[in-house]
Amino acid sequence: MGESMNAWAEVGWGVVFGTAALMVTFNYRDVAWRIHGFMANTVGVNRLLTPAMVRFTCGVLAIASMVSVVVGLARP
């Protein structure tokens, strides 16, 4: 029974993380700009970590997370 609960927790975590990453990807409440503004004070990050790069990275992470959830649900 413990392994079954662990599998469901992993699926739940994947869904929550994927949803959060999608929210950043679609710039819900300007969160990509907020992440950029927070990280812009770090030396050398200002040019690399643009809001577009934040959105792209979170989009890739969201896709990977959702694929992981689908594969996890497809396993018997």
Side-chain angles (χ1 to χ4, degrees):
M1 181 170 159
E3 192 169 314
S4 173
M5 287 297 285
N6 189 24
W8 281 109
E10 185 177 337
V11 168
W13 169 249
V15 169
V16 169
F17 180 77
T19 303
L22 278 175
M23 289 172 68
V24 174
T25 302
F26 294 121
N27 206 18
Y28 178 73
R29 296 183 57 106
D30 291 330
V31 73
W33 281 97
R34 293 171 193 251
I35 292 171
H36 166 72
F38 177 74
M39 296 294 291
N41 295 328
T42 307
V43 176
V45 173
N46 197 16
R47 293 182 186 163
L48 177 65
L49 195 71
T50 63
M53 192 62 173
V54 170
R55 293 176 70 188
F56 174 78
T57 303
C58 286
V60 170
L61 289 174
I63 290 169
S65 178
M66 292 302 174
V67 167
S68 174
V69 166
V70 169
V71 169
L73 288 175
R75 272 191 245 157

